Amino acid sequence: MKPTAIPADKVSEQAGVLDPGYAAWERAKIERGLAQSRDRAAMIPVEQVWRDLKLEG
């Protein structure tokens, strides 16, 4: 039988039980990341990341 819950949901639920503030922090962090991903001008160009990590030869 296939599980009905997504494993990531279980981790979040368990963490929220241990520390109630963690669930709110986690949700806020994800929402900030989603908002940031919508603003392409604020993102670091991939070419710069490659140079910084020395992946470009």
Side-chain angles (χ1 to χ4, degrees):
M1 183 172 167
K2 185 175 179 180
T4 56
I6 300 170
D9 290 342
K10 287 184 178 183
V11 172
S12 295
E13 289 170 8
Q14 290 171 357
V17 170
L18 298 176
D19 182 7
Y22 181 80
W25 169 84
E26 181 182 37
R27 182 170 188 83
K29 181 174 177 149
I30 291 169
E31 288 175 357
R32 283 192 309 270
L34 288 172
Q36 183 181 17
S37 72
R38 290 185 198 105
D39 182 10
R40 296 290 182 188
M43 298 182 84
I44 301 170
V46 70
E47 292 83 9
Q48 181 181 344
V49 173
W50 287 340
R51 279 193 308 272
D52 293 348
L53 295 174
K54 310 261 189 272
L55 297 175
E56 195 173 71

